[in-house]
Amino acid sequence: MPDPCASPTPTSMTTPAPEPTPDPCAPPPNLDYEPPQPSVDIPLASPPATLCPFTVNDAGEPACSVVEPSKDDKKKGSKSKSQAPDSSSLFIDKDWVAEHARQVSRMLLGGMKVVGIYVWVGDSAFKNSIIMLGQTVKAIADAAPLLEIDLDERILIHISYSPRRWTCRNCSLASNITSSNLRPCDFKMGKVLNSLQTFKCIYNFDLRLPIYKNSSNVRTFTDALRHAISVHAKELNSAKAIIDGNLVVNDKPCASDDLHEVELLLPFMKDASAEGSQKEVTGVIAFSGSVCSFAYLNIKEPISQAVAQIKEDIILSLQSRLDIICDEADGDADPSDAETGEGSDGMTTKNPISQLSLHLLRKTCNLSLPRRVFVPWLADMLVCDYLQSSETIEVVKDHCKELLSMETKFESLTILKPEVEAPALMARSFWDVAAPLGSAPASSSSSNSSTLETQRGQTSGTTVKSANINVILAAFFLLLSVIIGFVLIAVKRS
Amino acid sequence: MADEKEHRTVRVLCPKLVLHKHEPGLQWLIGSPFLPPLTVISTVKCILTDSSSSPDYAKESVSPIRAEDLRTLLPKGFDVAGALIVAKSDVEKNAANAIDSARRLRQILSDSGGSDRREALGVVVDAESGEVHFFASKSVKSTSLELVDSIVYVDRPEKYLWERGCLLRCELPIKLSIYYPVENSSDAEKMLQRATGAVIAKLKDPKVAYMVETVGKTSAEVPHPVVLRGSELDFSVGFSHIKPSNEAGQESDAKLVLCEHFCVNDKSGSPVYSAEDADKIQVSVLINSSEKSPKSAAPVAEYFPALEEARFLTVEFKLQVLSYATKDLPLMFAVSKLAVPGLIDQLNVMKNAILPNLLLQHSQLRPYHFSPPGVLHPITVIYELNYGETELKQVEVRKSLHLRLGLPLDRPLLRIANALDMFTTDGVKSVHKGSSLLKDVHIGIPSSGVSGGTVSLFQGSYEYFHYMQDAFNDSGWGCAYRSLQTIISWFRLQHYTSIEVPSHREIQQILVEIGDKDPSFIGSREWIGAIELSFVLDKLLGVSCKVINVRSGAELPEKCRELALHFENQGTPIMIGGGVLAYTLLGVDYNEVNGDCAFLILDPHYTGNDEHKKIINGGWCGWKKAVDSKGKNFFLHDKFYNLLLPQRPDMV
């Protein structure tokens, strides 16, 4: 996705506010709550930039606050020393904002990116906090990198109280943060969400990863998978695409605005993960499954962009799932236990499977990556979340509330679960798997997963439908009666 | 196929039908299922596995190894149309024998269990009189042979073949991962067998997708690539139910697109018809990873430790196949009946070659395509790159191929350097990359003026080396060096060698190395002569030379007959050295009756730039009569001359 910031001509970066709508033509938005304090939100972008507010951090403290010098200096980060009335400045919990950005970007589908932050604060406080804001922008850029485009700029939107006014600035990431890094840029509003095109792809893969005996770089299960994903990403990049049955050959925009089905054609049997010859192996990983992927594209953009976005979304989705497993493992790991370590069969340890050292494993073990589920968001756009086998749909709701400030009644939402739970581990041995293109995973587990599905539906209490996504999108479009405004930001590079 | 009904005609396309007239033997006659039956496109000699005196010609068809050779040698789209036997007697019996052999071989090559309903051709050549008899047999069941007396030797056979047909090329690199237990390493072979079996199954899988596109044309109106899905294709064996349809107007359906759709070569003007210039269609193999499945399961990773010591091995196959399809053939058949079987055959042949040394050797089998002179269609040969080209084993392989195809045994035509470059640089034929030198400057010169003479020229191509080239001032001393460079360029362009043409300094170094000259010779401006040239040719190329000395230039015309013989038999350029200037001799024009003669001289003393017109007008390349119209002698009578006649290496 060409980031609007990088585009020499004014392009479409829209910013629909997530909640009760701002007048598209007359900023500031008419929010139905006045923020009790300045809030740093993360505009999502590309094609639409949308604002995504957040509230409090883990400790229950605001992630962002205006520090008045007259007050007792509770926040150590305060830099305001002047006694002047407008010497107030912002304190921002950068790590928290960055973590938020990271988690939000994980929920975004292809074509949607975290491109910057917005801050709702008075003029003077803004001016006094340029450095802090710049650091925050840098932090979110690190936490939610834009993979495809190598852009060293992010956007900083300032919404001031009075007069109510939106200003947009480019924030360069390249050098040290000074006010000179902030360059004003044009800021326009427009309706883009409704003209977005949706691309959907089910991507099936089945990889065999040899684990070499004397290799130093791959040690744990997740290391091996991470390596495999990065290798596979290269292969995926060379894939050809068929959209709605037609091979993508030219760069014309897609004519119709329905849901487009993308099929990816990969090189035939070009096993990129295999390298070298006659190496000793300790085992093999069978890494397989399906990724349900979506991407959104502005109607004016070439169709090859959609293909690129789908490919990126597939890889990011796989990486996100792995990240989630690692995050959880990190959380669980008790530092004192870490050394008790790997027993003779590698399984007695308290380490989660994902952190096991594969060389020491003597038993077959499996690691189910979380399932991807989709939640309707703005217009008929979806966001995604990941569900581990032990989790219920409540987790998704919480994520939506916490991270995207979704206030919708979840009972009325249809959460899409196109991916079923991975089938139960088949009794297979090394040689079954290592045999070239060994028999495909049997389908005997289908009954298991469907029972799981119903159980889950009961506990979660949400409407679970695995119906055709087309139907649901259409239905959801009707449900969504809230009118959403858009901000079109056109950025001019100076 | 209408003319098969009543009036049967044998169409002979190949320029040389009988390869070896006087020795008994059998040749396979190659036709195409897409061309009218009884059409002979080319011929391949049958090489018997044992040289027993009783010629059981069916042996080759029985010996699977030979059949396999033929399977990959011929592009798909060509097959055995019949057989030709050179025999001394018993025309009818031999014809039946030939037809029987041909049918049996066809059976093996086609993999089809079904009966062979196509006509077969039996040709018998009388070993003594050279008389050729053509017989046809309608089907396996009918035992009666029919003498065919309507024989058409097609004029411009290349046009016949390539006007109505095109080449499909398909390149498929495959990397297979093989795991095997250290204890029982023979399992590796079984694993490879299974892996190749799986590849073959996957090539016919509904998930496979074949992308078809035009090759190498950059014009604006290139047809869009078409994707054919494995689920739409019919991989059953045989061409029986292919109906080359001419119904137009259905091109929207990918299934019904004809090969013609992708043939975009300009037909106006005077198109060149050859395998290299044929319309080419590229077929790529892809796997659809978004094929709809009843349900998609979230990713899962399972680790399986090897309970015994195991090793891992990757085996690479770089498949490249060519197939011939007529333009009215629907694309889907071209893929399912030609390209895919071609890939499978090549994979099997390579697998069988790799298997015996799977763990010992990292095999590097590569297919190469050739279009040798006299063979209308391309052929494919698989070479093992681990061996040097000059190793005996490879030389034997090439020799036997030369023999099979009726190619001369004294020149390399099937070396890698001769291969068609069908897969990389599209449409760009660059024999000698980066060379800016003029080639074959003698083309277009005025005739010699010898009336009634016979012209004998060298054969092949050379590059013109002369004074002052590469900004190197050798004027006055470098003529013999330049003549040597021209001669070496001939060996290069004829693919006898791939070494670079040596510089003056490198030539001097060689002469010092072999002890002919002192080290001070390097970098000097000393002349060299014919003898030095022969040393360098021997050292660099292993080429031996014949030397003719004459004491006076006046004696040279007497040598014309000998020189003409050299050009006919050896065909190499000759260097003229001696007391004065050095020249390169490219040919002679000699009237045996009155002794009038002229010499085609390529003069290395030219100091200008590489401009063809200037060279010709200046007479730097042209016919020189021994005595010109003004009575001046070209070869000085008071000087001696040495003629260096490089002998064509007897090698393939």
Side-chain angles (χ1 to χ4, degrees):
Chain A
M1 185 62 52
D3 192 280
C5 310
S7 178
T9 51
T11 28
S12 52
M13 185 178 88
T14 41
T15 308
E19 270 298 281
T21 321
D23 180 344
C25 304
N30 174 25
L31 297 184
D32 63 354
Y33 64 94
E34 279 295 315
Q37 68 254 324
S39 69
V40 179
D41 293 0
I42 298 162
L44 315 171
S46 174
T50 215
L51 299 187
C52 173
F54 59 83
T55 48
V56 292
N57 65 14
D58 276 341
E61 292 164 350
C64 178
S65 56
V66 176
V67 182
E68 297 293 343
S70 53
K71 285 183 186 169
D72 185 21
D73 199 349
K74 231 172 96 182
K75 307 274 192 293
K76 281 162 244 153
S78 164
K79 296 171 294 297
S80 308
K81 295 191 174 84
S82 158
Q83 295 298 311
D86 59 352
S87 65
S88 62
S89 71
L90 276 173
F91 167 78
I92 303 169
D93 185 346
K94 288 194 295 286
D95 294 343
W96 181 249
V97 175
E99 180 58 22
H100 183 219
R102 191 170 81 92
Q103 296 198 14
V104 166
S105 68
R106 201 182 270 173
M107 297 180 78
L108 299 177
L109 300 174
M112 307 283 293
K113 307 278 183 319
V114 175
V115 296
I117 60 172
Y118 77 82
V119 58
W120 188 310
V121 73
D123 276 345
S124 54
F126 181 82
K127 275 180 197 136
N128 293 334
S129 324
I130 293 292
I131 294 196
M132 176 60 93
L133 287 165
Q135 286 168 345
T136 312
V137 169
K138 250 190 174 162
I140 66 127
D142 291 342
L146 303 178
L147 285 189
E148 194 197 336
I149 35 167
D150 193 23
L151 180 73
D152 62 346
E153 280 183 335
R154 295 291 186 277
I155 287 168
L156 173 61
I157 295 173
H158 171 216
I159 309 169
S160 66
Y161 289 116
S162 55
R164 284 202 165 175
R165 194 179 65 214
W166 291 49
T167 46
C168 181
R169 286 174 174 83
N170 270 345
C171 183
S172 167
L173 304 172
S175 50
N176 290 330
I177 297 147
T178 57
S179 51
S180 64
N181 286 17
L182 289 176
R183 285 179 289 106
C185 58
D186 271 0
F187 186 76
K188 282 178 192 164
M189 301 225 189
K191 290 191 182 183
V192 171
L193 269 193
N194 286 353
S195 63
L196 283 184
Q197 298 197 309
T198 310
F199 295 85
K200 185 199 177 189
C201 176
I202 300 281
Y203 180 68
N204 308 309
F205 65 96
D206 189 2
L207 308 176
R208 296 283 180 279
L209 321 169
I211 302 300
Y212 303 114
K213 199 166 202 170
N214 300 314
S215 90
S216 50
N217 54 341
V218 173
R219 286 166 59 244
T220 65
F221 214 137
T222 43
D223 287 343
L225 293 182
R226 211 175 285 282
H227 177 70
I229 291 169
S230 67
V231 170
H232 192 64
K234 291 188 194 106
E235 201 174 330
L236 188 61
N237 259 333
S238 63
K240 307 251 178 225
I242 292 180
I243 295 184
D244 300 329
N246 300 314
L247 189 73
V248 177
V249 280
N250 51 16
D251 247 4
K252 285 183 201 142
C254 219
S256 64
D257 53 340
D258 300 311
L259 174 69
H260 302 289
E261 293 274 350
V262 181
E263 291 170 80
L264 292 176
L265 306 178
L266 264 76
F268 184 83
M269 312 250 320
K270 204 174 178 182
D271 191 356
S273 63
E275 53 194 25
S277 73
Q278 307 242 19
K279 286 192 188 171
E280 284 191 43
V281 288
T282 53
V284 63
I285 292 178
F287 184 32
S288 63
S290 303
V291 175
C292 181
S293 164
F294 284 92
Y296 298 98
L297 191 72
N298 192 311
I299 199 156
K300 285 174 192 154
E301 291 199 71
I303 202 162
S304 60
Q305 275 301 326
V307 178
Q309 292 298 344
I310 282 281
K311 289 176 182 173
E312 191 185 323
D313 183 61
I314 290 167
I315 294 302
L316 283 179
S317 171
L318 285 173
Q319 283 171 347
S320 296
R321 296 178 213 228
L322 214 51
D323 288 344
I324 287 167
I325 285 182
C326 290
D327 288 354
E328 194 173 69
D330 288 345
D332 291 352
D334 189 333
S336 61
D337 286 348
E339 297 302 315
T340 63
E342 294 123 6
S344 57
D345 63 353
M347 296 293 276
T348 55
T349 170
K350 288 187 175 178
N351 277 348
I353 291 170
S354 61
Q355 300 306 310
L356 291 178
S357 182
L358 291 171
H359 293 117
L360 301 164
L361 274 178
R362 283 288 163 267
K363 272 186 196 161
T364 301
C365 65
N366 84 330
L367 182 66
S368 291
L369 298 190
R371 295 192 291 160
R372 199 180 202 189
V373 297
F374 298 91
V375 184
W377 190 36
L378 303 170
D380 46 4
M381 274 201 321
L382 301 170
V383 284
C384 73
D385 197 8
Y386 295 96
L387 262 189
Q388 301 218 50
S389 55
S390 58
E391 291 172 338
T392 69
I393 210 78
E394 296 299 326
V395 176
V396 176
K397 289 194 243 169
D398 290 347
H399 282 163
C400 289
K401 279 182 198 153
E402 281 172 24
L403 295 169
L404 301 176
S405 303
M406 287 173 67
E407 299 287 320
T408 331
K409 290 186 179 68
F410 278 90
E411 287 67 27
S412 64
L413 282 185
T414 309
I415 295 176
L416 302 174
K417 296 179 186 170
E419 295 175 7
V420 302
E421 189 124 343
L425 182 62
M426 298 298 296
R428 287 192 286 172
S429 75
F430 172 80
W431 292 112
D432 291 335
V433 177
L437 308 167
S439 55
S443 54
S444 64
S445 55
S446 58
S447 54
N448 292 348
S449 57
S450 60
T451 47
L452 266 174
E453 198 70 24
T454 43
Q455 281 167 359
R456 181 150 304 174
Q458 285 156 3
T459 49
S460 65
T462 49
T463 27
V464 175
K465 287 180 192 165
S466 52
N468 191 321
I469 209 148
N470 283 312
V471 181
I472 291 165
L473 268 182
F476 174 67
F477 182 72
L478 292 172
L479 281 173
L480 195 81
S481 54
V482 188
I483 306 159
I484 298 168
F486 313 94
V487 185
L488 182 68
I489 305 170
V491 183
K492 274 185 194 158
R493 300 193 110 177
S494 45
Chain B
M1 299 192 179
D3 46 355
E4 103 189 72
K5 295 268 162 56
E6 286 158 12
H7 192 75
R8 268 201 265 182
T9 305
V10 172
R11 245 187 215 88
V12 181
L13 271 70
C14 53
K16 194 179 169 194
L17 182 64
V18 187
L19 297 179
H20 306 279
K21 252 177 208 156
H22 300 297
E23 46 187 287
L26 182 140
Q27 290 167 223
W28 303 118
L29 301 174
I30 307 302
S32 166
F34 308 122
L35 295 176
L38 309 187
T39 301
V40 180
I41 299 166
S42 69
T43 173
V44 178
K45 193 174 159 53
C46 165
I47 298 176
L48 294 173
T49 39
D50 64 294
S51 50
S52 61
S53 53
S54 67
D56 177 5
Y57 298 118
K59 238 172 206 156
E60 173 161 89
S61 55
V62 179
S63 155
I65 298 163
R66 290 299 174 185
E68 289 298 317
D69 278 358
L70 214 51
R71 200 190 273 267
T72 48
L73 186 73
L74 291 178
K76 292 284 155 189
F78 296 110
D79 67 354
V80 177
L84 175 148
I85 287 182
V86 180
K88 289 204 174 78
S89 56
D90 240 348
V91 170
E92 294 262 335
K93 194 180 148 219
N94 276 313
N97 192 353
I99 287 172
D100 183 52
S101 304
R103 284 201 187 282
R104 274 203 270 169
L105 180 62
R106 198 191 274 175
Q107 193 84 9
I108 289 178
L109 292 183
S110 70
D111 296 312
S112 66
S115 64
D116 182 3
R117 282 198 216 103
R118 293 182 43 222
E119 276 183 293
L121 182 64
V123 182
V124 179
V125 180
D126 193 305
E128 274 143 26
S129 67
E131 225 176 304
V132 186
H133 309 272
F134 292 83
F135 293 88
S137 139
K138 271 210 169 103
S139 68
V140 182
K141 283 164 202 148
S142 71
T143 49
S144 68
L145 297 181
E146 215 179 298
L147 185 70
V148 186
D149 47 13
S150 163
I151 316 294
V152 177
Y153 288 89
V154 176
D155 191 31
R156 295 191 68 194
E158 294 86 5
K159 184 170 184 242
Y160 184 92
L161 195 64
W162 296 113
E163 197 175 40
R164 59 199 76 202
C166 57
L167 269 182
L168 258 74
R169 55 176 224 191
C170 183
E171 190 174 23
L172 181 60
I174 297 177
K175 209 165 166 189
L176 296 178
S177 306
I178 308 290
Y179 299 81
Y180 63 96
V182 175
E183 295 289 295
N184 192 3
S185 55
S186 65
D187 273 9
E189 285 154 36
K190 279 184 219 151
M191 285 295 205
L192 181 62
Q193 292 275 18
R194 281 177 69 181
T196 49
V199 170
I200 290 167
K202 210 155 186 187
L203 281 171
K204 300 176 178 180
D205 193 277
K207 273 196 281 192
V208 78
Y210 293 93
M211 189 173 75
V212 186
E213 60 199 317
T214 308
V215 170
K217 294 290 172 289
T218 45
S219 68
E221 289 181 31
V222 171
H224 282 312
V226 166
V227 170
L228 298 166
R229 292 165 195 264
S231 50
E232 301 167 345
L233 299 175
D234 166 24
F235 291 105
S236 66
V237 182
F239 299 99
S240 50
H241 45 284
I242 297 181
K243 293 180 204 84
S245 68
N246 292 319
E247 299 154 35
Q250 290 170 303
E251 295 203 350
S252 56
D253 193 343
K255 285 179 173 180
L256 296 170
V257 174
L258 306 181
C259 289
E260 204 166 31
H261 181 64
F262 289 100
C263 297
V264 292
N265 271 6
D266 194 7
K267 300 298 179 304
S268 60
S270 53
V272 186
Y273 291 104
S274 75
E276 259 177 295
D277 297 298
D279 280 303
K280 292 185 204 78
I281 299 178
Q282 166 99 359
V283 180
S284 325
V285 191
L286 302 164
I287 280 284
N288 189 342
S289 53
S290 309
E291 195 67 18
K292 285 174 192 74
S293 57
K295 64 182 176 58
S296 28
V300 61
E302 295 171 73
Y303 177 69
F304 300 91
L307 298 178
E308 51 193 316
E309 262 192 278
R311 273 171 191 267
F312 171 81
L313 175 71
T314 51
V315 183
E316 276 185 86
F317 294 94
K318 304 224 159 160
L319 307 182
Q320 277 189 3
V321 296
L322 295 178
S323 345
Y324 174 80
T326 42
K327 292 179 182 175
D328 56 359
L329 188 74
L331 214 47
M332 55 181 299
F333 290 121
V335 168
S336 65
K337 310 281 186 190
L338 299 174
V340 173
L343 288 171
I344 291 172
D345 280 351
Q346 201 174 75
L347 177 66
N348 276 327
V349 167
M350 285 197 188
K351 177 201 71 183
N352 291 337
I354 287 175
L355 269 181
N357 295 315
L358 179 59
L359 299 177
L360 305 174
Q361 190 181 49
H362 182 66
S363 178
Q364 290 195 71
L365 292 169
R366 298 285 182 276
Y368 291 93
H369 312 288
F370 300 92
S371 188
V375 182
L376 288 180
H377 55 75
I379 57 159
T380 304
V381 186
I382 300 168
Y383 286 134
E384 170 60 81
L385 298 192
N386 280 338
Y387 305 124
E389 274 207 297
T390 48
E391 275 179 50
L392 195 61
K393 200 173 167 186
Q394 297 300 89
V395 174
E396 286 304 315
V397 168
R398 286 198 299 271
K399 254 194 190 142
S400 116
L401 275 170
H402 274 246
L403 209 62
R404 291 192 136 224
L405 296 164
L407 303 174
L409 286 171
D410 61 351
R411 58 206 63 188
L413 296 170
L414 300 175
R415 291 200 179 195
I416 290 169
N418 301 83
L420 295 177
D421 200 1
M422 292 256 185
F423 285 88
T424 46
T425 49
D426 289 324
V428 183
K429 282 177 276 176
S430 51
V431 180
H432 189 175
K433 277 165 209 127
S435 170
S436 57
L437 300 178
L438 286 180
K439 265 176 37 179
D440 301 338
V441 283
H442 64 283
I443 293 168
I445 55 165
S447 61
S448 65
V450 174
S451 60
T454 311
V455 178
S456 311
L457 286 187
F458 81 105
Q459 300 153 20
S461 292
Y462 62 90
E463 286 167 333
Y464 181 27
F465 286 83
H466 57 79
Y467 276 171
M468 306 297 284
Q469 264 172 346
D470 296 323
F472 184 70
N473 186 353
D474 56 345
S475 184
W477 61 278
C479 52
Y481 294 86
R482 296 295 186 181
S483 183
L484 174 61
Q485 288 174 331
T486 298
I487 289 171
I488 291 175
S489 81
W490 182 90
F491 281 96
R492 268 177 65 87
L493 291 171
Q494 269 37 251
H495 300 302
Y496 284 103
T497 181
S498 54
I499 63 154
E500 293 295 322
V501 173
S503 65
H504 294 56
R505 197 183 176 86
E506 283 163 339
I507 292 168
Q508 291 170 338
Q509 260 163 355
I510 291 165
L511 288 170
V512 171
E513 262 173 51
I514 61 169
D516 182 59
K517 295 273 189 287
D518 291 327
S520 63
F521 180 62
I522 297 173
S524 72
R525 297 184 153 208
E526 278 180 56
W527 293 23
I528 55 171
I531 305 306
E532 283 87 353
L533 257 68
S534 75
F535 291 154
V536 175
L537 285 174
D538 182 46
K539 171 79 179 161
L540 271 185
L541 310 175
V543 168
S544 57
C545 298
K546 202 171 141 187
V547 178
I548 301 177
N549 325 92
V550 287
R551 274 169 295 168
S552 152
E555 291 174 32
L556 265 172
E558 296 164 24
K559 301 290 178 189
C560 266
R561 192 190 305 267
E562 200 176 340
L563 294 175
L565 220 61
H566 167 84
F567 286 122
E568 269 153 43
N569 295 334
Q570 303 294 333
T572 57
I574 292 172
M575 182 262 186
I576 303 178
V580 277
L581 308 168
Y583 300 110
T584 313
L585 179 64
L586 299 177
V588 289
D589 193 351
Y590 180 51
N591 185 330
E592 292 202 24
V593 182
N594 61 14
D596 195 8
C597 63
F599 298 84
L600 179 49
I601 297 290
L602 183 70
D603 194 338
H605 301 93
Y606 173 64
T607 52
N609 53 354
D610 280 353
E611 207 177 305
H612 190 246
K613 217 171 165 185
K614 227 165 135 184
I615 293 162
I616 301 301
N617 291 345
W620 297 103
C621 177
W623 288 102
K624 309 287 176 190
K625 293 188 82 169
V627 185
D628 68 10
S629 50
K630 290 167 198 155
K632 205 177 145 208
N633 291 316
F634 183 73
F635 296 110
L636 304 177
H637 285 192
D638 56 346
K639 300 284 181 192
F640 74 97
Y641 287 91
N642 288 331
L643 274 66
L644 186 74
L645 285 61
Q647 303 295 293
R648 188 190 272 270
D650 190 8
M651 63 202 282
V652 293

